[in-house]
């Protein structure tokens, strides 16, 4: 913005001017009468190219949503959104993948026409698909793998040279899983299919309040208990889903008619019942599901309900990570209720409740993609959310039925796995005997792969370490780069017959505090 309005023009009916404050120059769009009255710059796009966008935005008056839009010959592409503030610059991060080549126009809009839009330091950076994919591979190599040194020594601690070493992965260190249904309890094929692939599960419905107490005062945890026992027996971690669901359409049928006093009593009983029952057995709880979109409990029990319920669950089970879980944050720019800045604001709001200051709140991104995924926006949004320091999980990922459903499913899974701040992925692909799935099925009724299943199996294979074999050097060391996870290491002595041992080994993420990039594992034979 240092060259005045060079390159910038008024868009639609706005008036624009350059201003300066403390030596900083920026552009202002004012006297706006329509949402799209703005300031714009003409650009040229290349079809299939990914573009990352960043800009500093400020508004006058009250805080309002501002959307970055790219107008092309084919229509309008949303490239980013932020809940902009007055008297404070906020960074809008986003992007788009060009669906056509040729001239285009980038501008910033807001439905609040009384707000002036201030814009500074705009960056639009292009990446070919090859460059984007290369960055994903580099990110995976850095975030999901580690170089290890396996050293074989004898009983006196002396290195054994020319020993044969074989390394076989037993379990991935990165949690990948799926929703499961109670049909898994009596179906051996379902059990084998699931346990041979996944390390984490979410129960599709069986822990929800409407499932465990469909009739007031008559609790039934039979399915949830049995499914949790099955998970434990197969070393599968479980996300608790959910303590409450803020959508008024998904309450137990008897709840809606309760007075505020009776509802508060029922809510407290529910917390004590379900959280105490599964204390110490779950890795996460989705505490008040989708409460950025809905406010059933807040409308009846007060606006502090979310902060209060996080506090209550934490008091009962302080070791489980509590999640704010919602949809459309990475899938849908148009949804102003769950923009990244709104998400961060909600986390701060929950933490501001008395006693919650030190609480770790997980960010659960449901990731139900209904349209063509905007991969650059997905990456930028996760960047913004991860900057809070909160753990980030992809909790219910799927893609709606459309011509390139399987291809888009692979795209979003790759992007999620390659982001270094994503700590786990759960797909919303629960199976039923009728072949019904929420949006995408991985297998048919005979557990034969459908196209979605082929994608998942391909990626699971790609994201695991194949068997590594080699010979130790003169220092008794074999070097390898492996995905994080659990392994069996078999060492065979070079001269002594029938002298081999198998040891368990765990490849851990880099210790950021010690900055130790290479992991040394010494095993005696």
């Amino acid at each position: 913005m240092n060259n005045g309005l060079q390159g910038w023009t008024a868009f639609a009916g706005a008036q624009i001017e350059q201003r300066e404050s403390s030596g900083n120059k920026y552009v202002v769009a004012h006297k706006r009468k329509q949402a799209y009255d703005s300031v714009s710059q003409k650009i040229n796009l290349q079809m299939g190219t990914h573009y990352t966008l960043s800009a500093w935005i400020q508004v006058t008056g009250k805080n309002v949503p501002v959307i970055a839009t790219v107008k092309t010959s084919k229509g309008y592409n949303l490239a980013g959104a932020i809940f902009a503030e007055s008297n404070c610059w906020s960074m809008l991060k986003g992007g788009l993948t060009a669906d056509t080549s040729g001239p285009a126009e980038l501008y910033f809009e807001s439905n609040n026409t009384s707000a002036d839009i201030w814009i500074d330091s705009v960056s639009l950076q292009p990446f070919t698909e090859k460059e984007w994919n290369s960055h994903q591979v580099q990110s995976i190599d850095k975030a999901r793998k580690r170089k290890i040194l396996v050293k074989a020594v004898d009983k006196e601690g002396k290195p054994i040279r020319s020993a044969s070493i074989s390394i076989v992965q037993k379990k991935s260190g990165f949690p990948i899983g799926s929703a499961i249904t109670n049909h898994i309890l009596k179906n051996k094929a379902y059990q084998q299919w699931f346990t041979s692939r996944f390390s984490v599960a979410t129960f599709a419905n069986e822990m929800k309040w409407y499932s465990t107490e469909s009739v007031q005062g008559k609790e039934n945890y039979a399915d949830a208990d049995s499914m949790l026992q099955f998970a434990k027996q197969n070393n599968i971690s479980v996300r608790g889903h959910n303590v409450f669901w803020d959508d008024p359409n998904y309450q137990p049928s008897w709840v809606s008619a309760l007075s505020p006093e009776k509802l508060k009593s029922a809510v407290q009983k529910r917390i004590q019942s379900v959280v105490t029952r599964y204390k110490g057995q779950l890795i996460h709880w989705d505490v008040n599901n989708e409460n950025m979109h809905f406010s059933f409990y807040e409308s009846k029990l007060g606006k502090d309900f979310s902060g209060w319920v996080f506090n209550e669950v934490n008091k009962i089970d302080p070791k489980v990570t509590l999640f704010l879980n919602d949809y459309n944050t990475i899938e849908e720019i148009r949804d102003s209720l769950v923009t990244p800045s709104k998400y961060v604001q909600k986390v701060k709001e929950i933490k501001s409740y008395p006693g919650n200051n030190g609480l770790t709140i997980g960010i659960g991104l449901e990731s139900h993609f209904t349209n063509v995924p905007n991969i650059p926006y997905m990456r930028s949004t996760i960047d913004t959310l991860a900057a809070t320091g909160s753990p980030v999980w992809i909790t219910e990922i799927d893609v709606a039925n459309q011509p390139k459903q399987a291809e888009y499913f692979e795209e979003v899974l790759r992007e999620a796995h390659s982001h270094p701040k994503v700590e786990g992925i759960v797909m919303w692909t629960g199976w039923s005997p009728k072949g019904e799935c929420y949006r995408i099925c991985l297998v048919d009724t005979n557990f034969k792969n459908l196209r979605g299943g082929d994608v998942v199996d391909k990626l699971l294979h790609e994201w695991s370490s194949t068997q590594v074999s080699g010979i130790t050097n003169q220092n008794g060391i074999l070097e390898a780069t492996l995905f994080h996870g659990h392994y069996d290491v078999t060492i065979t002595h070079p001269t002594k017959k029938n002298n081999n041992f198998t040891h368990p080994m765990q490849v851990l993420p880099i210790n950021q505090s010690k900055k130790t990039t290479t992991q040394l594992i010494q095993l005696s034979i």
Side-chain angles (χ1 to χ4, degrees):
M1 303 298 182
N2 292 333
N3 298 321
L5 295 177
Q6 181 181 338
W8 295 95
T9 58
F11 190 85
Q15 293 188 23
I16 66 170
E17 62 183 54
Q18 186 189 47
R19 295 180 189 171
E20 183 174 343
S21 175
S22 302
N24 182 55
K25 298 176 181 178
Y26 53 94
V27 173
V28 176
H30 60 105
K31 295 184 178 177
R32 302 172 52 251
K33 295 181 180 179
Q34 303 167 103
Y36 48 81
D37 287 347
S38 182
V39 58
S40 71
Q41 185 160 145
K42 291 180 171 59
I43 56 178
N44 268 291
L45 300 179
Q46 293 294 321
M47 185 173 179
T49 298
H50 298 296
Y51 294 87
T52 59
L53 170 70
S54 65
W56 288 95
I57 305 292
Q58 190 172 164
V59 294
T60 58
K62 63 181 181 180
N63 302 349
V64 296
V66 173
I67 296 173
T69 305
V70 175
K71 179 185 178 183
T72 71
S73 60
K74 292 184 67 173
Y76 297 85
N77 296 281
L78 303 188
I82 192 166
F83 198 71
E85 301 181 26
S86 60
N87 303 314
C88 176
W89 289 100
S90 301
M91 179 180 271
L92 180 153
K93 289 190 71 174
L96 75 157
T97 302
D99 58 1
T100 186
S101 294
E105 208 164 358
L106 168 68
Y107 66 96
F108 302 85
E109 62 178 281
S110 174
N111 286 330
N112 189 322
T113 55
S114 65
D116 295 348
I117 303 176
W118 300 7
I119 302 148
D120 195 8
S121 300
V122 183
S123 171
L124 190 68
Q125 298 290 341
F127 298 88
T128 65
E129 186 173 354
K130 183 178 180 182
E131 289 170 332
W132 196 270
N133 294 343
S134 176
H135 181 271
Q136 287 181 334
V137 171
Q138 292 172 20
S139 181
I140 289 171
D141 286 345
K142 185 176 180 180
R144 310 287 180 221
K145 295 180 179 180
R146 192 170 185 188
K147 185 168 80 172
I148 62 151
L149 304 177
V150 180
K151 185 175 183 179
V153 298
D154 61 21
K155 61 182 180 181
E156 296 175 349
K158 296 178 181 179
I160 303 174
R161 61 185 300 180
S162 301
S164 297
I165 293 183
S166 174
I167 304 172
V168 178
Q169 186 173 19
K170 308 302 288 184
K171 182 180 179 181
S172 171
F174 181 82
I176 298 180
S178 170
I180 57 174
T181 64
N182 58 9
H183 299 295
I184 203 167
L185 296 173
K186 297 180 180 179
N187 191 314
K188 294 293 184 183
Y190 191 2
Q191 294 174 11
Q192 195 281 329
W193 173 82
F194 190 90
T195 57
S196 64
R197 287 165 173 79
F198 302 126
S199 60
V200 61
T202 302
F203 302 167
N205 292 299
E206 288 78 7
M207 277 189 179
K208 292 172 182 172
W209 197 5
Y210 62 65
S211 295
T212 63
E213 195 179 358
S214 60
V215 177
Q216 187 174 12
K218 294 184 178 180
E219 294 182 333
N220 184 350
Y221 287 99
D223 280 351
D225 287 351
S226 297
M227 291 166 73
L228 184 59
Q229 187 61 30
F230 163 78
K232 287 180 181 179
Q233 290 170 349
N234 291 280
N235 199 25
I236 292 168
S237 302
V238 175
R239 298 192 72 254
H241 182 74
N242 44 54
V243 182
F244 296 105
W245 193 351
D246 229 350
D247 188 336
N249 295 315
Y250 293 100
Q251 304 304 322
S253 58
W254 52 270
V255 163
S256 296
L258 297 178
S259 66
E261 294 77 17
K262 290 184 177 180
L263 177 61
K264 184 67 176 289
S265 176
V267 159
Q268 290 174 322
K269 181 174 178 289
R270 162 68 176 172
I271 296 170
Q272 284 293 328
S273 176
V274 72
V275 180
T276 301
R277 187 180 196 89
Y278 298 121
K279 178 181 178 180
Q281 302 179 77
L282 308 175
I283 57 170
H284 304 156
W285 262 121
D286 293 329
V287 178
N288 188 21
N289 202 46
E290 297 175 355
N291 68 314
M292 293 176 69
H293 276 101
F294 305 104
S295 55
F296 175 81
Y297 293 98
E298 290 85 349
S299 66
K300 294 176 179 291
L301 301 177
K303 63 181 180 63
D304 289 337
F305 177 81
S306 293
W308 173 81
V309 73
F310 270 80
N311 187 272
E312 291 294 303
V313 174
N314 180 64
K315 283 193 291 191
I316 297 172
D317 193 356
K319 292 185 178 180
V320 68
T321 304
L322 307 183
F323 272 72
L324 179 63
N325 193 54
D326 222 312
Y327 62 92
N328 276 356
T329 305
I330 62 174
E331 318 82 303
E332 182 52 76
I333 300 175
R334 293 176 180 84
D335 193 339
S336 61
L337 294 174
V338 285
T339 60
S341 52
K342 278 285 190 74
Y343 214 114
V344 173
Q345 181 183 333
K346 187 68 176 181
V347 170
K348 289 179 179 177
E349 177 187 309
I350 293 170
K351 285 190 173 184
S352 69
Y353 185 84
N356 286 356
N357 186 42
L359 196 61
T360 297
I361 297 178
I363 292 175
L365 302 172
E366 292 185 13
S367 312
H368 296 295
F369 290 88
T370 56
N371 302 306
V372 178
N374 183 339
I375 298 299
Y377 179 74
M378 179 179 176
R379 180 178 295 183
S380 295
T381 299
I382 297 174
D383 286 344
T384 300
L385 296 172
T388 63
S390 297
V392 177
W393 274 62
I394 306 297
T395 55
E396 303 180 16
I397 194 167
D398 59 19
V399 174
N401 187 26
Q402 53 193 296
K404 299 175 99 174
Q405 183 187 34
E407 290 88 338
Y408 293 149
F409 193 43
E410 180 173 343
E411 279 187 23
V412 294
L413 287 171
R414 285 189 182 279
E415 186 58 43
H417 181 258
S418 69
H419 199 291
K421 295 300 183 180
V422 171
E423 297 185 10
I425 298 172
V426 178
M427 296 169 283
W428 209 248
T429 49
W431 180 89
S432 81
K434 296 180 181 179
E436 298 170 348
C437 305
Y438 179 62
R439 279 180 174 154
I440 185 169
C441 291
L442 302 186
V443 292
D444 63 17
T445 54
N446 295 312
F447 292 93
K448 301 297 183 183
N449 269 9
L450 300 172
R451 292 191 68 196
D454 286 339
V455 165
V456 170
D457 282 353
K458 178 176 74 172
L459 294 179
L460 289 175
H461 177 74
E462 191 177 312
W463 298 337
S464 63
S465 298
T466 55
Q467 182 172 343
V468 175
S469 300
I471 304 295
T472 57
N473 62 18
Q474 61 184 8
N475 298 314
I477 290 174
L478 174 71
E479 180 181 310
T481 298
L482 303 172
F483 279 96
H484 305 152
H486 295 264
Y487 294 81
D488 279 346
V489 183
T490 301
I491 306 175
T492 302
H493 198 283
T495 58
K496 298 179 181 179
K497 290 185 177 181
N498 301 320
N499 197 339
N500 63 71
F501 293 89
T502 298
H503 302 261
M505 174 183 80
Q506 187 175 5
V507 178
L508 300 168
I510 293 171
N511 188 323
Q512 294 297 336
S513 61
K514 296 181 180 179
K515 302 296 182 183
T516 50
T517 56
T518 302
Q519 183 177 343
L520 175 63
I521 299 159
Q522 182 166 297
L523 303 173
S524 61
I525 180 171

